[in-house]
Amino acid sequence: MSLKEQVYSVLIVSASEKFRDSLLSLLPEADYSPIVTVTSVGGAERARNQRDFDFIFLNSPLPDDAGIRFSIDCCRSGGTVVLLFAAAALYEQVQARAAEHGVFVLPRPVPRDALLRGLNWMTAARERLRGYEKKIQPIEEKMEEIRLVNRAKWLLISELKMSEPDAHRCINRQAMDRCVPKRTVAEEIIKLYS
């Protein structure tokens, strides 16, 4: 999928209405939707609990916190890309603390062209993360299947007094005979004996 076809979800965290409005003017609804705006870190945490966001723009400081820890936590948990705006006087300090965790930091005030460049960097970073997510998902699904099959084997061992190799063969045989994945057989065994 080309970047032109991608739509990104956005969370804007800022106590300044002027900042929110100027940022919103750079985010056309055709490319950025939904756009959620909140005025505090507490509001941002509630919004994140309701849904995942591709981009988070955080204008620090906020009434309840500076937002640095929140920015770092957002970058650690999944495919969210965060751009933190810090006062020019605090930029170096915030940059040193947040950048190592993957948070993009820009000093305020931000010229329009710098903000557009930052938005392009965020898009590139999000697409890179999306590529990793696609690679990781099949691995996670396979690991979950292995866990389910092992749980089913142990249930067969404990309930039917099978040996581990016999339980393994039993699950494999049922899957092959019925032309279903081992995961389906394992789920049925777990449901039957749990």
Side-chain angles (χ1 to χ4, degrees):
M1 175 179 284
S2 113
L3 293 181
K4 297 293 180 196
E5 298 171 6
Q6 194 63 252
V7 178
Y8 301 97
S9 57
V10 176
L11 175 62
I12 300 173
V13 188
S14 177
S16 166
E17 190 172 328
K18 181 180 176 186
F19 178 88
R20 285 193 308 264
D21 291 343
S22 65
L23 190 55
L24 284 169
S25 71
L26 299 174
L27 304 172
E29 195 173 322
D31 299 325
Y32 304 95
S33 179
I35 299 175
V36 176
T37 61
V38 296
T39 59
S40 66
V41 171
E45 288 173 343
R46 286 188 293 280
R48 268 191 69 224
N49 287 337
Q50 292 176 356
R51 67 164 295 130
D52 292 326
F53 292 95
D54 295 311
F55 299 145
I56 296 178
F57 298 93
L58 195 139
N59 184 21
S60 180
L62 294 153
D64 57 346
D65 190 49
I68 297 169
R69 172 66 34 215
F70 173 77
S71 297
I72 292 169
D73 290 345
C74 290
C75 284
R76 283 185 181 155
S77 62
T80 301
V81 181
V82 180
L83 178 55
L84 175 65
F85 298 90
L90 299 173
Y91 170 75
E92 295 294 331
Q93 179 183 357
V94 172
Q95 169 73 8
R97 187 168 164 207
E100 68 181 283
H101 300 283
V103 178
F104 291 105
V105 182
L106 286 175
R108 271 191 334 268
V110 181
R112 181 180 172 89
D113 64 325
L115 189 53
L116 290 172
R117 206 172 16 245
L119 195 53
N120 288 336
W121 292 338
M122 292 175 72
T123 301
R126 179 63 186 112
E127 290 309 312
R128 186 174 184 189
L129 290 171
R130 195 179 311 277
Y132 290 141
E133 290 168 350
K134 286 180 182 177
K135 290 178 183 175
I136 289 172
Q137 186 177 9
I139 295 168
E140 288 176 344
E141 290 171 358
K142 186 65 177 172
M143 288 173 57
E144 179 61 22
E145 179 181 306
I146 290 168
R147 281 189 213 99
L148 285 171
V149 169
N150 283 338
R151 185 171 170 209
K153 281 195 304 189
W154 287 110
L155 282 169
L156 290 174
I157 291 168
S158 66
E159 297 295 323
L160 301 180
K161 309 299 184 222
M162 289 184 173
S163 68
E164 196 272 337
D166 289 341
H168 186 77
R169 275 192 296 278
C170 175
I171 293 170
N172 283 341
R173 189 176 344 103
Q174 283 188 43
M176 286 175 46
D177 290 348
R178 296 171 44 203
C179 297
V180 297
K182 287 189 279 186
R183 178 186 190 112
T184 303
V185 173
E187 287 170 342
E188 292 170 355
I189 292 170
I190 291 168
K191 188 176 180 180
L192 180 66
Y193 290 110
S194 291

